[in-house]
Amino acid sequence: MTDSPLRVLVADDEEPALAELVYLLSQDKRIGEIRSASNGPDALKILQAADLDVVFCDIKMPGLDGIDLARVLSKFASRPQIVFVTAYDEHAVAAFDLDATDYVMKPVRAERLTEAVRRVVSAGTPTTTQPQDDSDDETIPVELAGVTRFVQRSTVRYVEAQGDYARLHTGQNSHLVRVPLSTLEERWRDAGFTRIHRSTLVALAHVDEMRVDGGRCAVRVGDDWLPVSRRHTRELRDLLVRSTSLRG
């Protein structure tokens, strides 16, 4: 990315929130031109008429909400980066499916916004739309103590269902995300994840050992032994054999 100041659009239907965000961004030396819009349609008109680098937008707006705006922008040949600024955390997965650069929770803290601008600068701008490769790694946003962090799908060893949530287990940590296990099973099937139990998905690449003892099957993933239900045992064995032969 060049050293040119960022050209920014701020979109929020709440005037106090819009004014505060414009003010905070204006204090950042990396920010140049700032335009504003109080709804989705107005934001889209501005974006169609001007080449901007990044959009800081609310999600719940009249006419065209932030998620829909991002979907429209994803079809632009050269689109600005998207940073969602919202009071609602339930849209995080949808936001990052649309390649959002960041997801900032309200009330906005100056230091958190500074970090969002840093991510925009690091990512480079504008973003040229490329065909998505299903084999690409996926980035999953997780909330920890009010801060959005990012987990790469390739680091997830297994996933456990917890009601309407799912817990992602990596080598050192676990992270709770607001997405059902069934959704992850469908999305991650082609990435080598398979269900081994009604409450567990496992990444085949991270399975170190499979053991059948007294008719009960389990797999070792790192230091953890995970039970495999009878109905999934044969399919898992076939998948592991096939996976091993491909890697070999």
Side-chain angles (χ1 to χ4, degrees), residues 47 50-52 73-81 125-129:
L47 290 162
D51 292 326
L52 301 179
L73 294 180
S74 70
K75 301 181 185 300
F76 281 28
S78 181
R79 67 172 178 83
Q81 294 185 56
T125 184
T127 300
T128 301
T129 302

Side-chain angles (χ1 to χ4, degrees), residues 24-143:
L24 291 174
L25 287 169
S26 70
Q27 304 305 299
D28 195 313
K29 294 180 179 179
R30 296 166 294 184
I31 303 295
E33 176 185 4
I34 301 178
R35 300 192 184 193
S36 62
S38 58
N39 57 63
D42 285 351
L44 185 57
K45 288 178 184 178
I46 293 171
L47 290 162
Q48 288 172 327
D51 292 326
L52 301 179
D53 299 314
V54 56
V55 181
F56 290 82
C57 71
D58 192 10
I59 287 183
K60 296 197 173 181
M61 295 187 295
L64 186 73
D65 69 25
I67 296 294
D68 288 336
L69 177 62
R71 289 195 179 104
V72 174
L73 294 180
S74 70
K75 301 181 185 300
F76 281 28
S78 181
R79 67 172 178 83
Q81 294 185 56
I82 302 288
V83 174
F84 288 102
V85 184
T86 178
Y88 304 92
D89 64 355
E90 65 263 33
H91 302 288
V93 172
F96 285 97
D97 279 347
L98 291 166
D99 293 327
T101 302
D102 207 347
Y103 193 96
V104 179
M105 297 295 296
K106 294 180 179 178
V108 179
R109 294 178 290 110
E111 61 269 26
R112 181 64 182 86
L113 192 60
T114 296
E115 169 61 14
V117 174
R118 184 197 67 76
R119 290 176 180 174
V120 171
V121 172
S122 296
T125 184
T127 300
T128 301
T129 302
Q130 298 289 342
Q132 287 191 339
D133 185 345
D134 290 340
S135 66
D136 287 346
D137 206 358
E138 180 179 334
T139 300
I140 306 98
V142 298
E143 287 290 325

Side-chain angles (χ1 to χ4, degrees), residues 229-246:
S229 65
R230 291 180 183 273
R231 65 186 295 259
H232 292 294
T233 297
R234 175 172 291 182
E235 180 184 5
L236 177 62
R237 183 186 292 114
D238 292 344
L239 286 171
L240 286 172
V241 169
R242 193 180 313 148
S243 175
T244 302
S245 64
L246 288 174

Side-chain angles (χ1 to χ4, degrees), residues 131-227:
Q132 287 191 339
D133 185 345
D134 290 340
S135 66
D136 287 346
D137 206 358
E138 180 179 334
T139 300
I140 306 98
V142 298
E143 287 290 325
L144 183 62
V147 176
T148 304
R149 301 182 185 279
F150 303 91
V151 173
Q152 297 301 120
R153 183 184 61 201
S154 59
T155 67
V156 177
R157 297 182 174 189
Y158 64 96
V159 186
E160 287 183 304
Q162 294 194 353
D164 292 332
Y165 293 72
R167 183 167 293 280
L168 312 179
H169 291 266
T170 62
Q172 294 78 32
N173 301 296
S174 68
H175 307 277
L176 195 64
V177 295
R178 191 191 294 264
V179 57
L181 189 73
S182 57
T183 299
L184 291 180
E185 178 184 18
E186 182 178 345
R187 277 172 47 184
W188 292 2
R189 182 179 292 112
D190 293 339
F193 283 77
T194 189
R195 191 183 286 259
I196 62 171
H197 191 275
R198 65 182 180 183
S199 62
T200 314
L201 284 180
V202 70
L204 296 173
H206 288 291
V207 174
D208 299 308
E209 184 179 350
M210 181 176 184
R211 178 180 298 171
V212 179
D213 186 9
R216 296 180 180 274
C217 179
V219 291
R220 182 172 63 83
V221 179
D223 295 329
D224 298 323
W225 281 96
L226 308 175

